[in-house]
Short mmCIF file of all heavy atoms in Angstrom, two decimals:
data_model
loop_
_atom_site.label_atom_id
_atom_site.label_comp_id
_atom_site.label_asym_id
_atom_site.label_seq_id
_atom_site.Cartn_x
_atom_site.Cartn_y
_atom_site.Cartn_z
N PHE T 34 101.19 162.36 94.46
CA PHE T 34 99.83 161.90 94.04
C PHE T 34 99.07 163.18 93.59
O PHE T 34 99.34 164.25 94.11
CB PHE T 34 99.08 161.32 95.15
CG PHE T 34 99.71 160.05 95.72
CD1 PHE T 34 100.03 159.90 97.00
CD2 PHE T 34 99.74 159.02 94.86
CE1 PHE T 34 100.55 158.74 97.55
CE2 PHE T 34 100.26 157.76 95.47
CZ PHE T 34 100.68 157.66 96.74
N LEU T 41 97.80 171.03 98.24
CA LEU T 41 98.82 172.08 98.35
C LEU T 41 98.35 173.38 97.73
O LEU T 41 98.62 174.46 98.14
CB LEU T 41 100.13 171.67 97.69
CG LEU T 41 101.30 172.57 97.75
CD1 LEU T 41 101.71 172.83 99.23
CD2 LEU T 41 102.47 172.11 96.94
N THR T 78 110.93 182.45 108.17
CA THR T 78 112.31 182.04 108.22
C THR T 78 112.54 180.81 109.13
O THR T 78 113.62 180.38 109.27
CB THR T 78 113.24 183.19 108.52
OG1 THR T 78 112.71 183.74 109.75
CG2 THR T 78 113.23 184.22 107.45
N SER T 83 105.95 170.35 116.45
CA SER T 83 105.61 169.70 117.75
C SER T 83 104.97 168.35 117.34
O SER T 83 103.93 168.29 116.63
CB SER T 83 104.68 170.54 118.59
OG SER T 83 104.30 169.84 119.73
N ASN T 86 106.53 161.77 120.80
CA ASN T 86 107.86 161.17 121.01
C ASN T 86 108.26 160.18 119.94
O ASN T 86 107.49 159.39 119.47
CB ASN T 86 107.86 160.36 122.36
CG ASN T 86 109.19 159.98 122.76
OD1 ASN T 86 110.25 160.63 122.51
ND2 ASN T 86 109.34 158.82 123.51
N ILE T 93 113.08 165.17 111.43
CA ILE T 93 114.44 165.75 111.15
C ILE T 93 115.34 164.75 110.41
O ILE T 93 115.94 165.15 109.50
CB ILE T 93 115.11 166.20 112.45
CG1 ILE T 93 114.21 167.26 113.13
CG2 ILE T 93 116.37 166.74 112.21
CD1 ILE T 93 113.89 168.53 112.35
N PHE T 105 117.90 175.83 98.94
CA PHE T 105 118.20 176.81 99.83
C PHE T 105 118.83 176.17 101.12
O PHE T 105 118.64 174.98 101.41
CB PHE T 105 117.00 177.67 100.21
CG PHE T 105 115.78 176.89 100.46
CD1 PHE T 105 115.49 176.28 101.67
CD2 PHE T 105 114.77 176.76 99.51
CE1 PHE T 105 114.42 175.56 101.88
CE2 PHE T 105 113.65 175.96 99.68
CZ PHE T 105 113.38 175.45 100.86
N THR T 110 117.09 170.59 113.41
CA THR T 110 117.48 169.69 114.55
C THR T 110 116.37 169.38 115.44
O THR T 110 115.29 170.02 115.42
CB THR T 110 118.57 170.43 115.38
OG1 THR T 110 119.15 169.62 116.33
CG2 THR T 110 117.90 171.64 116.10
N ARG T 126 118.76 181.59 106.11
CA ARG T 126 118.48 180.15 105.93
C ARG T 126 117.21 179.78 106.58
O ARG T 126 116.61 180.57 107.39
CB ARG T 126 119.62 179.33 106.53
CG ARG T 126 119.74 179.54 108.04
CD ARG T 126 120.93 178.85 108.65
NE ARG T 126 120.91 178.98 110.12
CZ ARG T 126 121.94 178.70 110.93
NH1 ARG T 126 123.12 178.34 110.35
NH2 ARG T 126 121.91 178.85 112.22
N LYS T 141 110.95 175.12 130.50
CA LYS T 141 112.09 175.08 129.62
C LYS T 141 111.70 174.88 128.09
O LYS T 141 112.24 175.52 127.19
CB LYS T 141 113.09 174.00 129.99
CG LYS T 141 114.40 173.97 129.32
CD LYS T 141 115.26 172.84 129.64
CE LYS T 141 115.73 172.89 131.14
NZ LYS T 141 116.72 171.81 131.46
N GLN T 143 108.74 175.57 126.75
CA GLN T 143 107.96 176.80 126.24
C GLN T 143 108.90 177.99 126.10
O GLN T 143 108.83 178.77 125.11
CB GLN T 143 106.96 177.15 127.36
CG GLN T 143 105.79 176.14 127.41
CD GLN T 143 104.63 176.59 128.28
OE1 GLN T 143 104.40 177.85 128.32
NE2 GLN T 143 104.02 175.66 129.00
N PHE T 236 78.85 157.35 141.18
CA PHE T 236 78.14 156.18 141.73
C PHE T 236 79.11 155.39 142.64
O PHE T 236 80.25 155.09 142.22
CB PHE T 236 77.68 155.23 140.68
CG PHE T 236 76.71 154.16 141.10
CD1 PHE T 236 75.45 154.39 141.16
CD2 PHE T 236 77.28 152.93 141.37
CE1 PHE T 236 74.53 153.31 141.58
CE2 PHE T 236 76.50 151.87 141.84
CZ PHE T 236 75.08 152.14 141.89
N ASN T 237 78.70 155.08 143.91
CA ASN T 237 79.44 154.36 144.83
C ASN T 237 79.05 152.85 144.64
O ASN T 237 77.97 152.53 145.02
CB ASN T 237 79.24 154.83 146.24
CG ASN T 237 80.24 154.19 147.23
OD1 ASN T 237 80.50 153.00 147.18
ND2 ASN T 237 80.57 154.98 148.23
N THR T 258 76.10 169.13 111.08
CA THR T 258 76.24 169.80 109.78
C THR T 258 76.95 171.06 109.95
O THR T 258 77.83 171.45 109.08
CB THR T 258 74.93 169.95 109.11
OG1 THR T 258 74.28 168.66 108.93
CG2 THR T 258 74.97 170.59 107.77
N GLY T 279 91.25 154.02 94.94
CA GLY T 279 90.14 153.11 95.34
C GLY T 279 90.63 151.65 95.29
O GLY T 279 89.80 150.80 95.53
N LYS T 297 93.53 127.14 129.20
CA LYS T 297 92.02 127.10 129.24
C LYS T 297 91.59 127.14 130.67
O LYS T 297 90.58 127.73 131.04
CB LYS T 297 91.50 125.92 128.44
CG LYS T 297 90.00 125.89 128.26
CD LYS T 297 89.49 124.70 127.50
CE LYS T 297 88.06 124.67 127.36
NZ LYS T 297 87.62 123.52 126.47
N THR T 318 82.07 150.10 136.38
CA THR T 318 82.67 151.15 135.46
C THR T 318 83.34 150.45 134.32
O THR T 318 83.81 149.23 134.32
CB THR T 318 83.66 151.98 136.25
OG1 THR T 318 84.80 151.19 136.48
CG2 THR T 318 83.12 152.51 137.41
N SER T 330 93.40 138.80 128.25
CA SER T 330 94.23 138.85 127.11
C SER T 330 95.69 138.43 127.51
O SER T 330 96.35 137.75 126.60
CB SER T 330 94.18 140.27 126.53
OG SER T 330 92.88 140.61 126.05
N TYR T 379 109.64 140.59 125.80
CA TYR T 379 110.84 139.87 126.20
C TYR T 379 110.55 138.35 126.12
O TYR T 379 111.50 137.62 125.70
CB TYR T 379 111.17 140.15 127.78
CG TYR T 379 111.38 141.64 127.93
CD1 TYR T 379 110.49 142.44 128.61
CD2 TYR T 379 112.48 142.27 127.29
CE1 TYR T 379 110.67 143.80 128.70
CE2 TYR T 379 112.62 143.58 127.37
CZ TYR T 379 111.70 144.41 128.10
OH TYR T 379 111.96 145.75 128.17
N GLU T 382 111.29 137.99 122.26
CA GLU T 382 112.62 138.18 121.96
C GLU T 382 113.41 136.88 122.39
O GLU T 382 114.25 136.40 121.62
CB GLU T 382 113.22 139.41 122.67
CG GLU T 382 114.72 139.68 122.44
CD GLU T 382 115.24 140.84 123.10
OE1 GLU T 382 114.74 141.07 124.27
OE2 GLU T 382 116.17 141.49 122.62
N ASP T 413 118.77 144.13 108.65
CA ASP T 413 119.60 143.41 109.61
C ASP T 413 118.73 142.68 110.62
O ASP T 413 119.31 142.18 111.64
CB ASP T 413 120.55 144.42 110.24
CG ASP T 413 121.45 145.01 109.21
OD1 ASP T 413 121.81 144.32 108.28
OD2 ASP T 413 121.79 146.19 109.30
N PRO T 421 101.91 149.27 119.51
CA PRO T 421 101.08 150.29 118.79
C PRO T 421 101.07 151.60 119.60
O PRO T 421 100.91 152.63 118.93
CB PRO T 421 99.70 149.70 118.68
CG PRO T 421 99.87 148.21 118.75
CD PRO T 421 101.00 148.04 119.73
N SER T 452 98.32 151.86 113.41
CA SER T 452 99.43 150.95 113.23
C SER T 452 99.21 150.20 111.88
O SER T 452 100.29 149.70 111.31
CB SER T 452 99.52 149.87 114.38
OG SER T 452 98.41 148.96 114.29
N LYS T 464 101.45 144.07 97.58
CA LYS T 464 100.39 144.16 98.57
C LYS T 464 101.00 143.63 99.98
O LYS T 464 101.56 142.62 100.04
CB LYS T 464 99.22 143.32 98.25
CG LYS T 464 98.12 144.08 97.36
CD LYS T 464 96.96 143.15 97.28
CE LYS T 464 95.87 143.92 96.43
NZ LYS T 464 94.69 143.08 96.26
N SER T 473 90.29 131.07 119.61
CA SER T 473 88.85 130.88 119.44
C SER T 473 88.08 130.96 120.79
O SER T 473 88.65 130.64 121.85
CB SER T 473 88.57 129.63 118.72
OG SER T 473 89.03 128.48 119.50
#
Side-chain angles (χ1 to χ4, degrees):
F34 295 119
L41 184 64
T78 53
S83 180
N86 187 33
I93 301 301
F105 43 82
T110 188
R126 65 187 180 193
K141 188 183 292 186
Q143 292 185 36
F236 189 88
N237 188 321
T258 301
K297 187 176 182 179
T318 66
S330 297
Y379 305 110
E382 182 183 31
D413 297 326
S452 70
K464 272 189 179 181
S473 61

